[in-house]
Amino acid sequence: MDFHNLKYLFLDRDGVLNRRIPDDYVRSFAQWEWLPKAKEALSILAVHFEVIVITSNQQGVGKGLFTTEDLLLLTDFFLLEIHEYGGRIDKVYYCTHLKKEECACRKPRTGMAFMAVRDFPQLDFSSSIMVGDTISDMEFGKKCGMKTAYIATEKTLCLEEKEKWADACFDSLYAFALLFQTNSL
Ligand SMILES: [Zn+2]
C-alpha cells in the first residue's frame, strides 16, 4: 500500500511513542519511556505530514488515579522533547472518561477525530492515517475512513484479527516513518 499521498497523521500515544505500562498508566514524566527511535521517527514525519495529532484514551483520570493537570504537565514534557528533536505535534486530544460512561470520544468511538476536524478544517479523513498499537485504534481509523497502520512492538506481528483492520503493520513508529524519509534528511 502506498501511503505517500497522505497528509494528515493521527497517532496513538502509549505503545507508539512511549512504552506502555502493563495494567497501569503513565502518570508522570518520570514513568515516561520513549520507544526506540520514536523521536527520530517524529522528526521524519514532521517533514511529510501537514497536520500531526495525538488521540489517546486516558481513563486513569476518570478513575481518579491521576489528574488532568498531571496529564497536561506530562504532555508539556514530552512535547518539549519532541520539539527539541525537530519533531512536531500540532495538537493532543485525550479522552479522560471512564469506559462505562460511554462518551463519544473514547476510542474506538470517533469523537477525537471530529475534534481534530474542528481545529484543523482542512483535515480530510481520506488523506489521513491512524497509527496505533491496539485494535481499538485501527477501528477508530477505519470508522472515519482513514488508512491504518498497526504497530506491534511485541513481535506478535499481524495476527489475522489485526489484519482485518490494519492496512499495514510495522514493528515501530520508526519503521513506519522510514517510508517517508527523504534524501535531504
Ligand atoms: Zn471520552
Side-chain angles (χ1 to χ4, degrees):
M1 176 157 299
D2 186 11
F3 292 142
H4 287 86
N5 58 344
L6 298 171
K7 297 178 187 172
Y8 312 113
L9 177 61
F10 286 76
L11 295 170
D12 177 41
R13 197 192 76 180
D14 303 329
V16 174
L17 303 185
N18 60 293
R19 201 172 297 284
R20 223 175 238 291
I21 303 181
D23 303 317
D24 198 1
Y25 300 88
V26 179
R27 308 164 193 221
S28 71
F29 198 62
Q31 293 174 296
W32 180 277
E33 185 189 347
W34 287 104
L35 284 168
K37 292 198 165 186
K39 283 186 283 185
E40 287 90 333
L42 288 167
S43 68
I44 295 167
L45 295 167
V47 176
H48 180 83
F49 285 94
E50 292 178 20
V51 175
I52 303 175
V53 300
I54 290 173
T55 55
S56 173
N57 290 346
Q58 294 293 335
Q59 74 166 335
V61 173
K63 290 178 178 174
L65 297 172
F66 52 101
T67 65
T68 303
E69 289 69 30
D70 296 331
L71 187 58
L72 297 181
L73 190 61
L74 162 65
T75 302
D76 285 344
F77 275 113
F78 74 74
L79 288 180
L80 182 64
E81 290 212 350
I82 290 169
H83 187 73
E84 284 175 346
Y85 223 86
R88 192 187 88 244
I89 300 289
D90 297 300
K91 188 114 185 187
V92 182
Y93 301 95
Y94 290 121
C95 168
T96 57
H97 304 117
L98 293 171
K99 187 175 182 180
K100 69 176 182 195
E101 290 178 70
E102 299 191 346
C103 65
C105 49
R106 186 177 164 81
K107 292 179 290 184
R109 294 203 181 92
T110 56
M112 288 191 282
F114 288 92
M115 288 178 206
V117 170
R118 268 210 308 273
D119 293 331
F120 304 96
Q122 74 272 35
L123 215 151
D124 155 23
F125 293 147
S126 68
S127 298
S128 301
I129 184 164
M130 175 70 202
V131 180
D133 72 326
T134 65
I135 300 300
S136 160
D137 294 318
M138 301 299 96
E139 194 179 337
F140 164 87
K142 281 295 163 196
K143 278 182 185 168
C144 295
M146 300 180 195
K147 296 285 184 289
T148 53
Y150 182 77
I151 305 293
T153 49
E154 300 297 329
K155 298 284 178 198
T156 49
L157 273 169
C158 296
L159 299 176
E160 260 178 50
E161 194 185 359
K162 286 155 191 167
E163 280 189 330
K164 196 167 65 182
W165 293 101
D167 292 312
C169 292
F170 299 91
D171 63 8
S172 66
L173 183 64
Y174 183 68
F176 169 74
L178 286 179
L179 296 179
F180 304 97
Q181 191 163 38
T182 59
N183 294 328
S184 62
L185 284 172

